[in-house]
Coordinates of all heavy atoms in Angstrom, one line a residue:
M1304 N 12.6 -7.1 -2.3 CA 13.0 -6.1 -1.5 C 12.1 -6.1 -0.2 O 10.9 -6.1 -0.3 CB 12.9 -4.7 -2.2 CG 13.2 -3.6 -1.3 SD 13.3 -2.0 -2.2 CE 11.6 -1.5 -1.9
F1305 N 12.7 -6.1 0.9 CA 12.0 -6.0 2.2 C 11.8 -4.6 2.6 O 12.6 -3.7 2.4 CB 12.8 -6.8 3.3 CG 12.5 -8.3 3.2 CD1 13.0 -9.1 2.3 CD2 11.7 -8.9 4.2 CE1 12.8 -10.5 2.3 CE2 11.4 -10.2 4.2 CZ 12.0 -11.0 3.2
W1306 N 10.7 -4.4 3.3 CA 10.4 -3.1 3.9 C 10.2 -3.3 5.3 O 9.6 -4.3 5.9 CB 9.0 -2.7 3.2 CG 8.5 -1.3 3.6 CD1 9.2 -0.1 3.6 CD2 7.3 -1.1 4.2 NE1 8.4 0.9 4.0 CE2 7.1 0.3 4.4 CE3 6.1 -1.8 4.4 CZ2 6.0 1.0 4.9 CZ3 5.0 -1.2 4.9 CH2 5.0 0.2 5.1
S1307 N 10.7 -2.4 6.1 CA 10.6 -2.4 7.6 C 10.0 -1.1 8.0 O 10.7 -0.1 8.3 CB 12.0 -2.6 8.2 OG 12.6 -3.8 7.8
P1308 N 8.7 -1.1 8.1 CA 8.1 0.2 8.5 C 8.0 0.5 9.9 O 8.3 -0.3 10.8 CB 6.6 0.0 7.9 CG 6.4 -1.5 8.2 CD 7.8 -2.1 7.9
A1309 N 7.6 1.7 10.2 CA 7.3 2.1 11.6 C 6.1 3.1 11.5 O 6.2 4.0 10.6 CB 8.5 2.7 12.3
H1310 N 5.1 3.0 12.3 CA 4.1 4.0 12.4 C 4.7 5.3 12.9 O 5.6 5.3 13.8 CB 3.0 3.5 13.3 CG 1.7 4.4 13.2 ND1 1.6 5.6 13.9 CD2 0.6 4.3 12.5 CE1 0.5 6.1 13.6 NE2 -0.2 5.3 12.8
V1311 N 4.2 6.4 12.5 CA 4.8 7.7 12.8 C 4.7 7.9 14.4 O 5.6 8.5 14.9 CB 4.1 8.9 12.1 CG1 2.6 9.1 12.4 CG2 4.9 10.2 12.2
A1312 N 3.7 7.5 15.0 CA 3.6 7.6 16.5 C 4.6 6.8 17.2 O 5.2 7.2 18.2 CB 2.2 7.2 16.9
D1313 N 4.9 5.5 16.7 CA 6.0 4.7 17.3 C 7.3 5.4 17.0 O 8.2 5.4 17.9 CB 5.9 3.3 16.6 CG 4.7 2.5 17.1 OD1 4.2 2.7 18.2 OD2 4.4 1.6 16.3
A1314 N 7.6 5.9 15.8 CA 8.8 6.6 15.6 C 9.0 7.8 16.4 O 10.1 8.1 16.9 CB 8.9 7.0 14.1
A1315 N 7.9 8.6 16.6 CA 8.0 9.8 17.5 C 8.3 9.4 18.9 O 9.2 10.0 19.6 CB 6.7 10.5 17.4
E1316 N 7.7 8.3 19.4 CA 8.0 7.9 20.8 C 9.4 7.4 20.9 O 10.1 7.8 21.9 CB 7.1 6.7 21.2 CG 7.4 6.3 22.6 CD 6.7 4.9 23.0 OE1 5.8 4.5 22.3 OE2 7.1 4.4 24.1
A1317 N 9.9 6.7 20.0 CA 11.3 6.3 20.0 C 12.3 7.5 19.9 O 13.3 7.5 20.6 CB 11.6 5.3 18.8
A1318 N 11.9 8.5 19.1 CA 12.8 9.7 19.0 C 12.9 10.4 20.4 O 14.0 10.8 20.8 CB 12.3 10.6 18.0
V1319 N 11.8 10.5 21.1 CA 11.9 11.1 22.4 C 12.7 10.3 23.4 O 13.5 10.8 24.1 CB 10.4 11.3 23.0 CG1 10.5 11.8 24.4 CG2 9.7 12.4 22.1
R1320 N 12.5 9.0 23.4 CA 13.2 8.1 24.2 C 14.7 8.1 23.9 O 15.5 8.0 24.8 CB 12.7 6.6 24.1 CG 11.4 6.4 24.8 CD 10.9 5.0 24.5 NE 9.7 4.7 25.2 CZ 9.6 3.8 26.2 NH1 10.7 3.2 26.7 NH2 8.4 3.6 26.8
A1321 N 15.0 8.2 22.6 CA 16.4 8.2 22.2 C 17.2 9.3 22.7 O 18.5 9.2 22.8 CB 16.5 8.2 20.7
L1322 N 16.6 10.4 23.2 CA 17.3 11.5 23.8 C 18.1 11.0 25.0 O 19.1 11.6 25.4 CB 16.4 12.6 24.2 CG 15.7 13.3 23.0 CD1 14.6 14.2 23.5 CD2 16.7 14.0 22.1
A1323 N 17.7 9.9 25.7 CA 18.3 9.4 26.8 C 19.2 8.1 26.5 O 19.8 7.6 27.5 CB 17.3 9.1 27.9
W1324 N 19.2 7.7 25.3 CA 19.9 6.5 24.9 C 21.4 6.8 24.7 O 21.7 7.9 24.3 CB 19.3 5.8 23.7 CG 18.0 5.3 23.8 CD1 17.3 5.0 25.0 CD2 17.1 4.8 22.8 NE1 16.1 4.5 24.7 CE2 15.9 4.3 23.4 CE3 17.2 4.8 21.4 CZ2 14.8 3.8 22.6 CZ3 16.1 4.3 20.6 CH2 15.0 3.9 21.3
P1325 N 22.3 5.8 24.8 CA 23.6 6.0 24.4 C 23.8 6.4 22.9 O 22.9 6.0 22.1 CB 24.3 4.6 24.7 CG 23.4 3.9 25.6 CD 22.0 4.5 25.3
P1326 N 24.8 7.1 22.6 CA 25.0 7.4 21.2 C 25.1 6.2 20.3 O 25.6 5.1 20.8 CB 26.3 8.2 21.2 CG 26.5 8.6 22.6 CD 25.9 7.6 23.4
G1327 N 24.6 6.3 19.1 CA 24.7 5.1 18.2 C 23.5 5.1 17.3 O 22.6 5.9 17.3
A1328 N 23.5 4.1 16.4 CA 22.5 3.9 15.5 C 21.4 2.9 16.0 O 21.8 1.9 16.6 CB 23.0 3.4 14.1
Y1329 N 20.2 3.2 15.8 CA 19.1 2.3 16.3 C 18.1 2.2 15.2 O 17.7 3.2 14.5 CB 18.3 2.9 17.5 CG 19.2 3.1 18.7 CD1 20.0 4.2 18.8 CD2 19.3 2.1 19.6 CE1 20.9 4.3 19.9 CE2 20.1 2.2 20.8 CZ 20.9 3.3 20.9 OH 21.7 3.4 22.0
N1330 N 17.6 0.9 14.9 CA 16.5 0.7 14.0 C 15.2 0.8 14.7 O 14.9 0.1 15.7 CB 16.6 -0.7 13.4 CG 17.8 -0.9 12.5 OD1 18.1 0.0 11.7 ND2 18.4 -2.0 12.5
V1331 N 14.4 1.7 14.3 CA 13.0 2.0 14.8 C 12.0 1.5 13.8 O 11.7 2.2 12.9 CB 12.8 3.4 15.2 CG1 11.4 3.7 15.7 CG2 13.8 3.8 16.3
V1332 N 11.6 0.2 13.9 CA 10.8 -0.4 12.9 C 9.8 -1.3 13.6 O 10.0 -1.6 14.8 CB 11.6 -1.3 11.9 CG1 12.5 -0.3 11.1 CG2 12.4 -2.4 12.5
D1333 N 8.8 -1.8 12.9 CA 7.8 -2.7 13.5 C 8.5 -4.1 13.5 O 9.7 -4.3 13.2 CB 6.5 -2.7 12.8 CG 6.4 -3.5 11.4 OD1 7.4 -4.1 11.0 OD2 5.3 -3.4 10.8
D1334 N 7.8 -5.1 14.0 CA 8.4 -6.4 14.2 C 8.3 -7.4 13.0 O 8.6 -8.6 13.1 CB 7.7 -7.1 15.4 CG 7.9 -6.4 16.7 OD1 9.0 -5.7 16.8 OD2 7.1 -6.5 17.6
E1335 N 7.7 -6.9 11.9 CA 7.5 -7.8 10.8 C 8.0 -7.2 9.4 O 7.2 -6.7 8.6 CB 6.0 -8.1 10.7 CG 5.7 -9.2 9.8 CD 4.2 -9.5 9.7 OE1 3.4 -8.9 10.5 OE2 3.8 -10.4 8.9
P1336 N 9.3 -7.2 9.2 CA 9.7 -6.8 7.8 C 9.1 -7.7 6.8 O 8.8 -8.9 7.0 CB 11.2 -7.1 7.9 CG 11.6 -7.4 9.2 CD 10.4 -7.7 10.0
A1337 N 8.8 -7.2 5.6 CA 8.1 -8.0 4.6 C 8.5 -7.5 3.2 O 8.7 -6.3 3.0 CB 6.6 -7.8 4.8
P1338 N 8.5 -8.5 2.3 CA 8.7 -8.1 0.9 C 7.5 -7.3 0.3 O 6.4 -7.5 0.8 CB 8.9 -9.4 0.2 CG 8.2 -10.4 1.1 CD 8.3 -9.9 2.5
G1339 N 7.8 -6.5 -0.7 CA 6.7 -5.7 -1.2 C 5.5 -6.5 -1.8 O 4.4 -6.0 -1.7
H1340 N 5.8 -7.6 -2.3 CA 4.7 -8.4 -2.9 C 3.7 -8.9 -1.8 O 2.6 -9.3 -2.0 CB 5.2 -9.6 -3.7 CG 6.0 -10.6 -3.0 ND1 5.5 -11.7 -2.3 CD2 7.4 -10.7 -2.9 CE1 6.5 -12.4 -1.8 NE2 7.6 -11.8 -2.1
D1341 N 4.2 -8.9 -0.5 CA 3.3 -9.2 0.6 C 2.5 -8.0 1.1 O 1.3 -8.1 1.4 CB 4.0 -9.8 1.8 CG 4.5 -11.2 1.6 OD1 4.0 -11.8 0.6 OD2 5.3 -11.7 2.4
W1342 N 3.2 -6.9 1.3 CA 2.4 -5.7 1.9 C 1.7 -4.8 1.0 O 0.8 -4.2 1.4 CB 3.4 -4.9 2.8 CG 4.6 -4.2 2.2 CD1 5.8 -4.7 2.0 CD2 4.6 -3.0 1.5 NE1 6.6 -3.8 1.4 CE2 5.9 -2.7 1.1 CE3 3.6 -2.0 1.3 CZ2 6.2 -1.6 0.4 CZ3 4.0 -0.8 0.7 CH2 5.2 -0.6 0.2
L1343 N 2.2 -4.7 -0.3 CA 1.5 -3.8 -1.2 C 0.0 -4.1 -1.5 O -0.8 -3.2 -1.5 CB 2.3 -3.7 -2.5 CG 3.4 -2.7 -2.5 CD1 4.3 -2.8 -3.8 CD2 2.9 -1.3 -2.4
P1344 N -0.3 -5.4 -1.6 CA -1.8 -5.7 -1.8 C -2.6 -5.4 -0.5 O -3.7 -4.9 -0.6 CB -1.8 -7.2 -2.0 CG -0.4 -7.5 -2.6 CD 0.5 -6.6 -1.9
V1345 N -2.0 -5.5 0.6 CA -2.7 -5.2 1.9 C -2.9 -3.7 2.0 O -4.0 -3.2 2.3 CB -1.9 -5.7 3.1 CG1 -2.6 -5.3 4.4 CG2 -1.8 -7.3 3.0
L1346 N -1.9 -2.9 1.7 CA -2.0 -1.5 1.6 C -3.0 -1.0 0.6 O -3.8 -0.2 0.9 CB -0.6 -0.8 1.4 CG -0.7 0.7 1.2 CD1 -1.2 1.4 2.5 CD2 0.7 1.2 0.9
A1347 N -3.0 -1.6 -0.6 CA -4.0 -1.2 -1.6 C -5.4 -1.5 -1.1 O -6.3 -0.7 -1.3 CB -3.7 -2.0 -2.9
G1348 N -5.6 -2.6 -0.5 CA -6.9 -3.0 0.1 C -7.3 -2.0 1.1 O -8.5 -1.6 1.2
A1349 N -6.4 -1.6 2.0 CA -6.8 -0.6 3.0 C -7.1 0.7 2.5 O -7.9 1.5 3.0 CB -5.6 -0.5 4.0
L1350 N -6.5 1.1 1.3 CA -6.8 2.3 0.6 C -8.0 2.2 -0.3 O -8.4 3.3 -0.8 CB -5.5 2.8 -0.1 CG -4.3 3.2 0.7 CD1 -3.1 3.4 -0.2 CD2 -4.6 4.4 1.5
G1351 N -8.4 1.0 -0.6 CA -9.6 0.9 -1.5 C -9.2 1.0 -2.9 O -10.0 1.5 -3.7
V1352 N -7.9 0.7 -3.3 CA -7.5 0.9 -4.6 C -7.0 -0.5 -5.1 O -6.7 -1.4 -4.3 CB -6.3 1.9 -4.8 CG1 -6.9 3.3 -4.4 CG2 -5.2 1.5 -4.0
P1353 N -6.9 -0.7 -6.5 CA -6.4 -2.0 -6.9 C -4.9 -2.2 -6.6 O -4.1 -1.3 -6.5 CB -6.5 -1.9 -8.5 CG -7.4 -0.7 -8.7 CD -7.3 0.2 -7.5
A1354 N -4.6 -3.4 -6.3 CA -3.1 -3.8 -6.0 C -2.3 -3.7 -7.2 O -2.8 -4.0 -8.3 CB -3.0 -5.2 -5.4
P1355 N -1.1 -3.2 -7.1 CA -0.2 -3.2 -8.3 C 0.2 -4.5 -8.8 O 0.2 -5.5 -7.9 CB 1.0 -2.4 -7.8 CG 1.0 -2.5 -6.4 CD -0.4 -2.7 -5.9
E1356 N 0.4 -4.7 -10.0 CA 0.9 -6.0 -10.5 C 2.3 -6.2 -10.0 O 3.1 -5.3 -9.9 CB 0.9 -6.0 -12.1 CG -0.6 -6.0 -12.6 CD -0.6 -6.2 -14.1 OE1 0.4 -6.9 -14.6 OE2 -1.5 -5.7 -14.7
R1357 N 2.6 -7.5 -9.7 CA 3.9 -7.9 -9.3 C 4.9 -7.8 -10.5 O 4.6 -8.3 -11.6 CB 3.9 -9.3 -8.7 CG 5.2 -9.6 -8.0 CD 5.0 -10.9 -7.2 NE 6.3 -11.3 -6.7 CZ 6.4 -12.3 -5.9 NH1 5.4 -13.1 -5.6 NH2 7.6 -12.6 -5.4
S1358 N 6.1 -7.2 -10.2 CA 7.1 -7.2 -11.3 C 8.4 -7.6 -10.8 O 8.6 -7.7 -9.5 CB 7.2 -5.7 -11.9 OG 7.6 -4.9 -10.8
G1359 N 9.3 -8.0 -11.6 CA 10.6 -8.5 -11.2 C 11.7 -7.5 -11.6 O 11.4 -6.3 -11.8
G1360 N 12.9 -7.9 -11.6 CA 13.9 -7.1 -12.1 C 15.0 -6.6 -11.0 O 16.1 -6.2 -11.4
R1361 N 14.6 -6.7 -9.8 CA 15.5 -6.3 -8.7 C 15.9 -7.5 -7.9 O 15.1 -8.4 -7.7 CB 14.9 -5.3 -7.7 CG 14.6 -4.0 -8.4 CD 14.1 -3.1 -7.3 NE 15.1 -2.1 -7.1 CZ 15.0 -1.2 -6.1 NH1 14.1 -1.2 -5.3 NH2 16.0 -0.3 -6.0
A1362 N 17.1 -7.6 -7.5 CA 17.6 -8.7 -6.6 C 17.0 -8.5 -5.2 O 16.9 -7.3 -4.7 CB 19.1 -8.6 -6.5
P1363 N 16.4 -9.5 -4.7 CA 15.7 -9.3 -3.4 C 16.8 -9.1 -2.2 O 17.9 -9.6 -2.3 CB 15.0 -10.7 -3.1 CG 15.8 -11.6 -4.0 CD 16.3 -10.9 -5.2
W1364 N 16.4 -8.3 -1.3 CA 17.2 -8.2 -0.1 C 17.0 -9.4 0.8 O 16.0 -10.0 0.8 CB 16.8 -6.9 0.7 CG 17.1 -5.6 0.0 CD1 17.8 -5.4 -1.1 CD2 16.7 -4.3 0.4 NE1 17.8 -4.1 -1.4 CE2 17.2 -3.4 -0.5 CE3 16.0 -3.9 1.5 CZ2 17.0 -2.1 -0.4 CZ3 15.8 -2.5 1.6 CH2 16.3 -1.6 0.7
A1365 N 18.0 -9.7 1.6 CA 17.9 -10.9 2.3 C 17.1 -10.8 3.6 O 16.5 -11.7 4.0 CB 19.4 -11.3 2.8
R1366 N 16.9 -9.5 4.1 CA 16.1 -9.4 5.3 C 15.7 -7.9 5.5 O 16.3 -7.0 4.8 CB 16.8 -9.8 6.5 CG 18.1 -9.0 6.7 CD 18.9 -9.5 8.0 NE 20.2 -8.8 8.0 CZ 20.4 -7.6 8.4 NH1 19.4 -6.8 8.6 NH2 21.6 -7.1 8.4
G1367 N 14.9 -7.6 6.4 CA 14.5 -6.2 6.7 C 15.3 -5.8 8.0 O 16.1 -6.6 8.5
A1368 N 15.0 -4.7 8.5 CA 15.7 -4.1 9.7 C 15.1 -4.8 10.9 O 14.0 -5.3 11.0 CB 15.5 -2.6 9.8
V1369 N 16.0 -4.8 12.0 CA 15.6 -5.4 13.3 C 15.7 -4.4 14.3 O 16.6 -3.6 14.4 CB 16.5 -6.6 13.6 CG1 16.2 -7.2 14.9 CG2 16.4 -7.7 12.5
N1370 N 14.7 -4.4 15.2 CA 14.6 -3.3 16.3 C 15.2 -3.8 17.6 O 14.9 -3.2 18.6 CB 13.2 -2.8 16.4 CG 12.2 -3.9 16.8 OD1 12.6 -4.9 17.4 ND2 10.9 -3.7 16.5
A1371 N 16.0 -4.8 17.7 CA 16.4 -5.4 18.9 C 17.2 -4.4 19.8 O 17.0 -4.4 21.0 CB 17.3 -6.6 18.6
R1372 N 18.0 -3.6 19.2 CA 18.8 -2.7 20.1 C 17.9 -1.6 20.8 O 18.1 -1.3 22.0 CB 19.8 -1.9 19.2 CG 20.8 -1.2 20.0 CD 22.0 -0.8 19.3 NE 23.0 -0.1 20.1 CZ 23.7 1.0 19.8 NH1 23.6 1.4 18.5 NH2 24.4 1.6 20.6
A1373 N 16.9 -1.1 20.1 CA 16.0 -0.2 20.7 C 15.1 -0.9 21.7 O 14.8 -0.3 22.8 CB 15.1 0.5 19.6
R1374 N 14.7 -2.1 21.5 CA 14.0 -2.9 22.5 C 14.7 -3.2 23.7 O 14.2 -3.2 24.8 CB 13.5 -4.2 21.9 CG 12.3 -4.1 20.9 CD 11.9 -5.5 20.4 NE 10.6 -5.5 19.8 CZ 9.5 -5.6 20.5 NH1 9.5 -5.6 21.8 NH2 8.4 -5.5 19.8
E1375 N 16.1 -3.4 23.6 CA 16.9 -3.6 24.8 C 16.8 -2.4 25.7 O 17.1 -2.5 26.9 CB 18.4 -3.9 24.4 CG 18.6 -5.2 23.7 CD 20.0 -5.3 23.1 OE1 20.8 -4.4 23.2 OE2 20.2 -6.4 22.5
L1376 N 16.6 -1.2 25.2 CA 16.5 0.0 26.0 C 15.1 0.4 26.4 O 14.8 1.5 26.8 CB 17.2 1.2 25.2 CG 18.7 0.9 25.0 CD1 19.2 1.9 24.1 CD2 19.4 1.0 26.3
G1377 N 14.1 -0.6 26.2 CA 12.8 -0.4 26.7 C 11.7 0.1 25.6 O 10.6 0.2 26.0
W1378 N 12.1 0.3 24.4 CA 11.2 0.7 23.4 C 10.6 -0.5 22.7 O 11.3 -1.5 22.5 CB 11.8 1.6 22.4 CG 10.9 2.0 21.3 CD1 9.9 3.0 21.3 CD2 10.7 1.4 20.0 NE1 9.2 3.0 20.1 CE2 9.6 2.0 19.3 CE3 11.3 0.2 19.4 CZ2 9.2 1.6 18.0 CZ3 10.9 -0.1 18.1 CH2 9.8 0.6 17.5
A1379 N 9.3 -0.4 22.4 CA 8.7 -1.5 21.6 C 7.5 -0.8 20.8 O 6.9 0.2 21.3 CB 8.0 -2.5 22.5
P1380 N 7.4 -1.2 19.6 CA 6.3 -0.5 18.8 C 4.9 -0.9 19.3 O 4.6 -2.0 19.7 CB 6.5 -1.2 17.4 CG 7.2 -2.5 17.6 CD 8.0 -2.3 18.9
A1381 N 4.1 0.1 19.4 CA 2.7 -0.1 19.8 C 1.9 -0.8 18.7 O 0.9 -1.4 19.0 CB 2.0 1.3 20.2
R1382 N 2.4 -0.6 17.5 CA 1.8 -1.2 16.3 C 2.9 -2.2 15.8 O 3.6 -1.8 14.9 CB 1.5 -0.2 15.3 CG 0.3 0.7 15.8 CD 0.5 2.1 15.2 NE -0.3 3.0 15.9 CZ 0.0 3.8 16.9 NH1 1.2 3.6 17.5 NH2 -0.8 4.6 17.5
P1383 N 2.9 -3.4 16.3 CA 4.0 -4.3 16.0 C 4.0 -5.0 14.6 O 4.9 -5.6 14.1 CB 3.9 -5.4 17.1 CG 2.5 -5.4 17.5 CD 2.1 -4.0 17.3
S1384 N 2.9 -4.8 13.8 CA 2.8 -5.4 12.5 C 2.1 -4.4 11.6 O 1.1 -3.8 11.9 CB 2.0 -6.7 12.5 OG 1.8 -7.1 11.2
W1385 N 2.7 -4.3 10.4 CA 2.0 -3.5 9.3 C 0.7 -4.1 8.9 O -0.2 -3.4 8.5 CB 2.9 -3.4 8.1 CG 3.4 -4.8 7.6 CD1 4.5 -5.4 7.9 CD2 2.7 -5.6 6.6 NE1 4.6 -6.6 7.2 CE2 3.5 -6.8 6.4 CE3 1.5 -5.5 5.9 CZ2 3.1 -7.8 5.6 CZ3 1.1 -6.5 5.1 CH2 1.9 -7.7 4.9
R1386 N 0.5 -5.4 9.1 CA -0.7 -6.1 8.7 C -1.9 -5.5 9.5 O -3.0 -5.2 8.9 CB -0.6 -7.6 9.1 CG 0.4 -8.4 8.2 CD 0.4 -9.8 8.6 NE 1.6 -10.4 7.9 CZ 1.5 -10.9 6.7 NH1 0.4 -10.8 6.0 NH2 2.6 -11.5 6.1
T1387 N -1.8 -5.3 10.8 CA -2.9 -4.7 11.5 C -2.8 -3.2 11.5 O -3.8 -2.5 11.5 CB -2.9 -5.2 13.0 OG1 -1.7 -4.9 13.5 CG2 -3.2 -6.7 13.0
G1388 N -1.6 -2.7 11.3 CA -1.4 -1.2 11.3 C -2.1 -0.5 10.2 O -2.7 0.5 10.4
F1389 N -2.1 -1.1 9.0 CA -2.8 -0.5 7.9 C -4.3 -0.4 8.1 O -4.9 0.6 8.0 CB -2.6 -1.3 6.6 CG -1.2 -1.3 6.0 CD1 -0.8 -2.3 5.2 CD2 -0.4 -0.2 6.1 CE1 0.5 -2.2 4.6 CE2 0.9 -0.1 5.6 CZ 1.3 -1.1 4.8
A1390 N -4.9 -1.5 8.6 CA -6.3 -1.5 8.8 C -6.7 -0.7 10.1 O -7.6 0.1 10.1 CB -6.8 -2.9 8.8
D1391 N -6.0 -1.1 11.2 CA -6.4 -0.5 12.5 C -6.0 1.0 12.6 O -6.7 1.6 13.4 CB -5.8 -1.3 13.6 CG -6.3 -2.8 13.7 OD1 -7.3 -3.1 13.0 OD2 -5.6 -3.6 14.3
Q1392 N -5.0 1.4 12.0 CA -4.6 2.8 12.2 C -4.9 3.7 11.0 O -4.4 4.8 10.9 CB -3.1 2.8 12.5 CG -2.7 2.0 13.7 CD -3.3 2.4 14.9 OE1 -3.5 3.6 15.2 NE2 -3.8 1.4 15.7
G1393 N -5.7 3.2 10.1 CA -6.2 4.0 9.0 C -5.1 4.4 8.0 O -5.3 5.4 7.3
V1394 N -4.0 3.7 7.9 CA -3.0 3.8 7.0 C -2.2 5.1 7.2 O -1.0 5.1 7.1 CB -3.5 3.8 5.5 CG1 -2.4 4.0 4.5 CG2 -4.2 2.4 5.2
V1395 N -2.8 6.2 7.5 CA -2.1 7.5 7.7 C -1.0 7.4 8.7 O -1.2 6.9 9.7 CB -3.1 8.6 8.1 CG1 -2.4 9.9 8.4 CG2 -4.2 8.7 7.1
G1396 N 0.2 7.8 8.3 CA 1.3 7.9 9.2 C 2.2 6.7 9.0 O 3.3 6.7 9.6
Y1397 N 1.9 5.7 8.2 CA 2.7 4.5 8.0 C 3.8 4.8 7.0 O 3.5 5.5 6.1 CB 1.9 3.3 7.6 CG 2.1 2.2 8.7 CD1 1.3 2.1 9.8 CD2 3.1 1.3 8.6 CE1 1.4 1.2 10.7 CE2 3.3 0.4 9.6 CZ 2.5 0.3 10.6 OH 2.6 -0.6 11.6
G1398 N 4.9 4.2 7.2 CA 5.9 4.2 6.1 C 7.1 5.1 6.5 O 8.0 5.4 5.7
V1399 N 7.2 5.5 7.8 CA 8.3 6.3 8.2 C 9.6 5.6 8.0 O 9.7 4.4 8.3 CB 8.1 6.7 9.7 CG1 9.4 7.4 10.3 CG2 6.9 7.6 9.9

């Protein structure tokens, strides 16, 4: 399963900008969708807790969300990757 996060500050900025965007659906996510087995250990490390064990059972999603439509209207995430976002932004606010 892929996860496409956005930091709460990036999501808030996009929401304000969206007031002037044409009607429609927009993905407001960072630039690096990732499967849980990639990002969960990084999040656990940032939180100082043990990483969960990897388990199976679910069919993987083919991809995460893409923010191209919002980018076309001038929005870009200030935190483009969850990899640096967890460590640099103190984890708080991630996962919107």
Side-chain angles (χ1 to χ4, degrees):
M1304 177 173 92
F1305 274 76
W1306 182 56
S1307 299
H1310 190 279
V1311 67
D1313 289 333
E1316 179 190 351
V1319 171
R1320 288 175 175 250
L1322 295 172
W1324 292 347
Y1329 297 86
N1330 290 323
V1331 174
V1332 296
D1333 76 6
D1334 293 334
E1335 192 178 356
H1340 62 84
D1341 284 350
W1342 63 265
L1343 275 170
V1345 177
L1346 175 60
L1350 294 171
V1352 299
E1356 290 187 28
R1357 189 170 176 178
S1358 63
R1361 293 184 112 186
W1364 290 354
R1366 61 179 172 75
V1369 177
N1370 61 23
R1372 189 164 181 220
R1374 281 183 167 278
E1375 289 171 2
L1376 295 170
W1378 176 83
R1382 294 146 193 92
S1384 173
W1385 55 269
R1386 293 177 190 277
T1387 55
F1389 287 154
D1391 295 346
Q1392 302 304 318
V1394 178
V1395 176
Y1397 242 89
V1399 171

